[in-house]
Amino acid sequence: MTLGELMEAQEGEGIQFKEAKNRFDFAWGNCCFCALSNCGGGKLVGSQAFEQPERTRKGLIDKLHIMVDFQVYEHEGKRVLVFEIAGRPVGLPVQADGVAWWYEGDSLIPMPETIVQGI
């Protein structure tokens, strides 16, 4: 997917757009990344907030135990950071602080029990 296609995509279970000009709450971010992984993987598009993306990537891998990669782009003179989040391992929901997060559309919710039981 090109940056242009990504910028035109609808936000939802596989793509999340997060604007945080100077700071991004890492705990809340963990929930977002966790939900993307539990929904089969996806992309989180960020901004200047992730000053050291490799450090963020390593922190996510250490905390959530999932594969994370990133790309840095420039769009209209601004930095666009795209994190690529792998889908969860088969049979294991990813958890952030003891909760398996999930996206229902673009709403962040705890993973529904019916889905947890089906894993």
Side-chain angles (χ1 to χ4, degrees), residues 40-101:
K43 296 176 178 10
L44 186 134
V45 183
S47 62
Q48 301 291 356
F50 302 100
E51 208 171 289
Q52 299 176 352
E54 182 57 40
R55 181 176 168 204
T56 302
R57 177 185 172 276
K58 183 179 180 332
L60 289 166
I61 291 169
D62 291 347
K63 178 92 172 161
L64 301 177
H65 308 290
I66 55 174
M67 289 305 302
V68 177
D69 203 357
F70 67 88
Q71 294 290 322
V72 179
Y73 300 93
E74 184 154 325
H75 178 71
E76 297 178 0
K78 296 183 181 176
R79 175 178 173 256
V80 177
L81 180 61
V82 179
F83 282 101
E84 179 80 32
I85 312 303
R88 66 176 169 74
V90 175
L92 298 171
V94 173
Q95 295 186 4
D97 297 322
V99 177
W101 293 98

